[in-house]
Amino acid sequence: MSGTDQWEENQRELTRFFREHPEIAAALDAADDQSLNGADLACKSALYQDRGLAREAAELFQLAWSKCYPEEYIREFGAQLDFIAKELADCPGPVVDIASGRGMLVRALLKKTAAPITATDLSESVLRDHLGAILPEETARLSLTACDAKALPFGEGSLPAVTTCLGLQNIPGPEQAVRELRRVCGGTLYALCCFFPEDDAANQEAAAGLGLAGAYSQPELTGLLERCGWRVRCHTGKKFRLPPTPVGVVAPGAGFDALPVAETEAWFATMVCV
């Protein structure tokens, strides 16, 4: 594994922050969860994670996520998860999920498929903190592997099914990762993505500023996949309005998601690649 465990670094920064501002930790503790906005709930989730309360932290994060996005976003996101799970319902596995992060797609696959699943991420700690807290009866067919998506520890053509949930949109300079996916995947890649309009200069430029130029453009990401040897079809959902996620009130300045920076029209699409 190479690269920096950004999740672990962020957790260390949050630990330092809570120790320097015990009044904010106390206010988050005292607040009713339903009264907090999504950013404050995410901060409370991190506080619980710092205390070793992994399951409670994961539950708080799920509530935070549901408060940060509009109903249309949540509905369309869920529809894409259901689509991927249905596509893989009869797959014998293993299914390898790339850049699993907090594991939202992995959890859907565990619930709706019977295949063994490997969750991967550059960050060993995000896998441990979020997928290490799942129900014991699900762990029998789940394995966790910390690895760099640009240097995957799998043989050529060895994987019958690979998935990723917003993963390609969080890997700066993703071409090397896309070529690695082409190398190891002997079957189908399902890449769930969120896209903004081509003429949405504010958000496309903000993505580029994060090292993610073209990642939120459906034509550009499709072109990258095709240049790396994939044949691509898109399962595209309905469009919806997407405002920026909230900023903390109890924890002033706490954020949830860097994009979008301005309200926009957005949509989800699963890139089905063979």
Side-chain angles (χ1 to χ4, degrees), residues 201-249:
N203 289 304
Q204 296 291 0
E205 289 173 6
L210 295 170
L212 303 171
Y216 288 81
S217 162
Q218 189 166 354
E220 288 196 38
L221 191 55
T222 301
L224 172 60
L225 287 160
E226 290 175 341
R227 289 194 303 276
C228 292
W230 296 98
R231 297 196 311 276
V232 182
R233 66 178 174 89
C234 295
H235 179 79
T236 303
K238 297 178 182 178
K239 294 181 178 180
F240 49 85
R241 298 302 300 176
L242 182 61
T245 54
V247 176
V249 176

Side-chain angles (χ1 to χ4, degrees), residues 159-179:
L159 304 179
V162 179
T163 62
T164 184
C165 178
L166 308 180
L168 291 183
Q169 299 179 298
N170 285 289
I171 301 173
E175 182 170 345
Q176 186 177 344
V178 173
R179 292 191 182 280

Side-chain angles (χ1 to χ4, degrees), residues 26-44:
L28 289 170
D29 275 330
D32 176 73
D33 294 343
Q34 295 297 333
S35 72
L36 296 172
N37 76 9
D40 283 328
L41 278 166
C43 222
K44 189 170 182 175

Side-chain angles (χ1 to χ4, degrees), residues 1-8 96-101 117-129 131 142-154 180:
M1 182 179 67
S2 61
T4 301
D5 189 336
Q6 192 63 50
W7 169 261
E8 191 167 13
V96 175
D97 188 64
I98 302 297
S100 300
I117 296 165
T118 298
T120 73
D121 201 278
L122 181 64
S123 168
E124 181 178 2
S125 52
V126 75
L127 293 172
R128 180 187 64 243
D129 291 346
L131 290 169
L142 174 66
S143 58
L144 308 179
T145 299
C147 61
D148 190 336
K150 297 178 180 180
L152 295 169
F154 305 107
E180 266 294 271

